[in-house]
Amino acid sequence: MKKENLSKLLLLLVAMIWGSGFPATKIILETGVKPFEFLAIRFFITALIMIFIMRIKKIEIKKEEVMIGAVAGVILFAAFSLQTIGLVYTTSSKNAFITGANVIFVPYITWILTKQKPKLIYYISSVICFIGIGILSFEKNLTINFGDFLTFLCAICFALQISTIGSKIKGKNPFSINTFQMLSAGIVSIIANIFFENATILSRSYDLKQVIALGYIITFNTFICYSIQTFAQKDIEPSKVSLILTTEIIFGAIFSVLILGDKLNLQLILGGLLIFLSIILTELKKS
């Protein structure tokens, strides 16, 4: 039990750090760095650091762990691509709230992977969550913001990534899986940058502001956070992992308001509260 509680505290720390990453990512994108270019730098450099650590510690590479990491990495790339591109078209705080809705989808995806059917409370939570996303995303002309729609798809991908690792990680080395997850995501990001962004990663020079923001995202939001998340998933079920990580929406909104000056209007507050309520309800079934 003590080990599980420690894992919960570590996941809460991850959520707080991830929350601070929303405004940092917004800063990077607004200074001209392309979405796939940003992801390529973020994941590939993290992968190189982890491979270096694996060599020093002489960690054995197992084929099954490579495969789990590779699949999770492609899903992670899809999630972050949708989130990062969505952030170009919406605010940092709305991006944070909608991303947090991934917790609602985890039980359904886990049901597909493990045959464990969700309980009634998850269906109720899903309806409340979708209402919250609708309130958060609708524009004055009753259309949905394109960035919010991409972020919604990103939430589904994050749920798939959490469920994939959670259903396969028992008895495996989490550091090894995470290393190949980062490497897979990094390679796909580089390919996307070459084909869709004219290989800007090979020609751009970065100023100090960009280097600091990128360094923060690589060190804290990627290397440290994903190492902790993968480690903690050995002790906690996927639905509970996603619930704890979803507190990043609160931290994300707070940091976005404080750092970027996002406006805390009634639409944002009401939509965000409904999404957060839907998340809390999924935990009541365990009370």
Side-chain angles (χ1 to χ4, degrees):
M1 183 60 69
K2 286 184 178 180
K3 190 175 181 181
E4 181 177 338
N5 290 335
L6 174 61
S7 294
K8 289 179 181 178
L9 288 174
L10 289 173
L11 287 173
L12 189 62
L13 175 62
V14 167
M16 184 174 68
I17 296 174
W18 275 352
S20 68
F22 286 97
T25 300
K26 189 74 172 178
I27 290 170
I28 291 170
L29 296 174
E30 288 180 344
T31 57
V33 177
K34 301 295 184 182
F36 293 136
E37 174 188 359
F38 163 60
L39 294 178
I41 295 170
R42 175 178 185 169
F43 292 125
F44 197 71
I45 291 180
T46 301
L48 292 179
I49 294 171
M50 298 186 76
I51 289 171
F52 180 70
I53 293 173
M54 286 188 70
R55 288 184 65 85
I56 290 178
K57 292 186 169 291
K58 297 181 179 179
I59 297 175
E60 181 183 357
I61 298 175
K62 296 181 179 178
K63 183 177 179 180
E64 190 173 359
E65 292 169 349
V66 173
M67 293 302 297
I68 295 171
V71 171
V74 173
I75 299 170
L76 194 66
F77 163 78
F80 271 106
S81 295
L82 292 164
Q83 183 189 57
T84 305
I85 297 172
L87 195 53
V88 174
Y89 301 99
T90 190
T91 66
S92 178
S93 51
K94 287 172 71 175
N95 191 266
F97 272 118
I98 297 172
T99 298
N102 74 79
V103 66
I104 300 301
F105 303 110
V106 169
Y108 301 110
I109 296 174
T110 302
W111 179 17
I112 295 172
L113 296 176
T114 65
K115 310 304 180 186
Q116 296 177 352
K117 186 177 180 179
K119 295 188 177 180
L120 176 63
I121 191 67
Y122 280 110
Y123 298 101
I124 298 172
S125 298
S126 300
V127 173
I128 295 173
C129 179
F130 283 123
I131 293 172
I133 292 173
I135 292 173
L136 204 63
S137 304
F138 273 123
E139 303 293 306
K140 291 181 180 179
N141 59 357
L142 297 181
T143 61
I144 295 178
N145 182 302
F146 179 60
D148 294 340
F149 174 69
L150 293 180
T151 308
F152 173 74
L153 295 180
C154 128
I156 296 176
C157 288
F158 274 125
L160 180 58
Q161 184 261 350
I162 290 172
S163 300
T164 299
I165 290 181
S167 62
K168 303 289 185 181
I169 199 170
K170 298 299 182 184
K172 310 294 190 307
N173 185 328
F175 193 88
S176 178
I177 289 175
N178 194 42
T179 297
F180 291 101
Q181 177 178 227
M182 294 297 107
L183 182 60
S184 173
I187 291 173
V188 178
S189 298
I190 291 173
I191 294 171
N193 175 254
I194 292 172
F195 281 98
F196 300 108
E197 297 172 343
N198 299 317
T200 54
I201 194 172
L202 302 176
S203 58
R204 186 188 301 277
S205 59
Y206 301 91
D207 60 32
L208 182 60
K209 185 178 182 180
Q210 291 170 327
V211 170
I212 292 174
L214 285 167
Y216 179 83
I217 292 292
I218 291 168
T219 304
F220 293 97
N221 287 63
T222 313
F223 173 65
I224 292 177
C225 284
Y226 275 96
S227 294
I228 292 174
Q229 180 200 335
T230 312
F231 172 80
Q233 282 198 250
K234 293 191 71 173
D235 304 309
I236 304 176
E237 62 184 73
S239 59
K240 190 174 289 187
V241 169
S242 63
L243 178 76
I244 297 171
L245 291 179
T246 302
T247 57
E248 99 178 79
I249 67 177
I250 303 299
F251 296 115
I254 291 172
F255 283 121
S256 297
V257 170
L258 294 178
I259 297 174
L260 298 179
D262 280 6
K263 297 198 182 296
L264 203 60
N265 56 34
L266 181 61
Q267 183 181 9
L268 177 66
I269 294 173
L270 181 58
L273 283 176
L274 284 174
I275 292 174
F276 195 64
L277 173 62
S278 71
I279 293 163
I280 295 301
L281 284 176
T282 62
E283 183 66 5
L284 293 182
K285 72 181 182 67
K286 304 181 185 71
S287 299

